[in-house]
Amino acid sequence: MALWRIRATVDDRPGYLSVLTASLALRSVNILAVQVHTTEGGAVDDFLVDAPDTMSEQELQAAIARGRGREAFVTRAEAQGLADQPTRALALAGRLVHDPDTLGEALVALLDAAEVRWRPEGTVVLHGFDEERMTLIDPTGGTYEVLRPAPAFTPAEYARAQALVEVSGALVRRAGEQTTLLLPDGAELLIRAATGDDAEGVRRLHSRSSLLSRQRRYLGGVRMPSEARLRRLLEPAGGLTLLALHTDPASGEESVVAMANLLTEGDLGEVALLVQDAWQRRGIGTALLRRLTARAARMDVSALVAHTGADNVAMLRTLRRFGVADRGDRDGTLLTLTLPVAGRRRSASDETPATSG
């Protein structure tokens, strides 16, 4: 038996697909997988079949024609074609996660294309597809031009390719938000947004931080946040959590050494910091807070508040760098201080109307 890939258009009417499959079955052709692509010209059926070794391409074409199939495309298939289309697409998305620079190769594999070309930004005006060509925006700039003489591209394939490009774009945006922080002593930290996968690293950050540091962060005797609270801190709805990570040059082990949280409700935000004791007083808190206030401006947050103990000299010193005075709302030993949000987009309601004098 031999593997073949068949694509043919049939009228999108009840029973017409069964006529085609019956015609193939009469020639001992076993259908292993089928996909249906809806187009304006009818339903395009894509088959992976197992046919007798003695069957030729012309005989397959004749069986398709007897089954009322039109515009048939027939070619030999490889064993990897046995993987269904969703599995292939997921595998290619996984490859992009590990190597975001392989989008072009992933598009070729997804579409069984003959060639992919990259065009600089501005050289391709229209994006879309026709029978032999598909153009897609490269998230890093420019355009990918995917070529396949046959079979003709379908709307379903264009949608799949667009989805893969979206995955690549999300990875590019995420990588763009990562920065390296160089400390005065030469140590390097990676600053990036937290995800749910960072739960264990953040738990270790808490276990390596002193009880005093945790009390100052949570304004009480919290030794470790609950699992539910930890999840909310790592992926806050409408907010952001940043982590500072250090890689040990000797062992290569990566560890979380600081965490900064921005929690929002409406147009108000609250910020908080936890820096491991051994990494305190090295500018990490200031760097994280600066990035949180910048994000708050892009989110159009009108005000940020920080709650801290009146005796937390290190936190007060950090806040002063952002123009916060020591005065604020005081409740016993607790201070609530407001941070200015520099560069916030102003809405019409923010503007003070001019008056004539």
Side-chain angles (χ1 to χ4, degrees):
M1 303 294 280
L3 292 176
W4 292 84
R5 181 184 173 194
I6 298 172
R7 181 174 286 196
T9 302
V10 298
D11 291 340
D12 194 7
R13 297 167 59 186
Y16 272 60
L17 177 58
S18 63
V19 172
L20 177 55
T21 58
S23 179
L24 293 172
L26 287 173
R27 298 303 307 269
S28 299
V29 176
N30 182 31
I31 298 174
L32 303 177
V34 61
Q35 300 176 62
V36 180
H37 304 244
T38 302
T39 70
E40 293 181 357
V44 176
D45 297 315
D46 202 336
F47 298 99
L48 179 68
V49 303
D50 194 4
D53 290 333
T54 56
M55 180 170 283
S56 67
E57 178 179 335
Q58 290 73 24
E59 289 173 317
L60 270 175
Q61 291 273 12
I64 294 167
R66 283 193 293 272
R68 300 180 181 176
R70 310 188 307 275
E71 302 166 5
F73 169 82
V74 178
T75 187
R76 287 278 192 172
E78 302 294 334
Q80 56 263 33
L82 292 171
D84 59 26
Q85 191 63 34
T87 301
R88 179 192 291 190
L90 288 171
L92 292 172
R95 184 196 300 179
L96 285 177
V97 170
H98 297 290
D99 190 356
D101 294 329
T102 60
L103 177 57
E105 293 90 330
L107 289 170
V108 168
L110 178 72
L111 301 167
D112 292 318
E115 184 182 0
V116 61
R117 300 170 181 169
W118 183 85
R119 304 292 190 189
E121 195 166 358
T123 58
V124 178
V125 178
L126 298 177
H127 301 92
F129 74 99
D130 55 27
E131 291 188 354
E132 298 185 0
R133 186 185 314 269
M134 186 181 296
T135 55
L136 300 150
I137 297 174
D138 180 0
T140 62
T143 301
Y144 281 110
E145 188 177 52
V146 187
L147 306 176
R148 189 179 70 190
F153 285 124
T154 66
E157 289 178 310
Y158 183 62
R160 292 170 189 163
Q162 287 278 46
L164 199 63
V165 170
E166 283 296 317
V167 171
S168 177
L171 293 168
V172 169
R173 290 190 294 272
R174 180 177 174 182
E177 292 177 353
Q178 296 184 358
T179 57
T180 299
L181 176 63
L182 181 63
L183 300 182
D185 60 5
E188 290 186 359
L189 300 180
L190 176 67
I191 309 296
R192 64 166 174 80
T195 70
D197 295 334
D198 293 308
E200 182 57 31
V202 172
R203 276 193 288 267
R204 291 178 181 174
L205 165 66
H206 284 77
S207 66
R208 289 192 296 263
S209 299
S210 67
L211 178 59
L212 178 60
S213 291
R214 282 177 276 150
Q215 286 176 332
R216 286 176 167 173
R217 163 60 182 84
Y218 296 103
L219 306 174
V222 175
R223 293 180 178 272
M224 183 75 71
S226 66
E227 283 298 310
R229 186 175 186 182
L230 182 60
R231 292 292 174 184
R232 289 195 298 270
L233 286 174
L234 289 175
E235 297 180 306
L240 174 70
T241 291
L242 293 178
L243 301 179
L245 301 101
H246 177 254
T247 300
D248 188 304
S251 65
E253 181 182 0
E254 187 179 68
S255 59
V256 180
V257 300
M259 175 180 70
N261 308 105
L262 168 62
L263 306 178
T264 62
E265 184 173 350
D267 63 348
L268 299 178
E270 178 184 335
V271 292
L273 298 169
L274 176 63
V275 181
Q276 185 181 327
D277 295 60
W279 292 85
Q280 292 177 7
R281 298 176 179 82
R282 301 170 72 174
I284 300 172
T286 301
L288 291 174
L289 199 54
R290 182 176 295 114
R291 285 165 174 78
L292 285 187
T293 56
R295 178 59 67 90
R298 295 199 297 272
M299 295 167 64
D300 215 20
V301 171
S302 62
L304 288 175
V305 298
H307 305 292
T308 187
D311 62 343
N312 191 346
V313 177
M315 185 62 171
L316 292 173
R317 185 185 301 117
T318 297
L319 293 173
R320 285 193 205 104
R321 297 190 179 102
F322 292 84
V324 177
D326 289 348
R327 62 182 180 275
D329 295 332
R330 184 159 185 161
D331 183 5
T333 60
L334 179 65
L335 283 174
T336 299
L337 304 169
T338 302
L339 287 75
V341 181
R344 185 179 78 90
R345 298 190 303 271
R346 295 178 64 85
S347 64
S349 61
D350 294 330
E351 302 292 341
T352 302
T355 58
S356 59

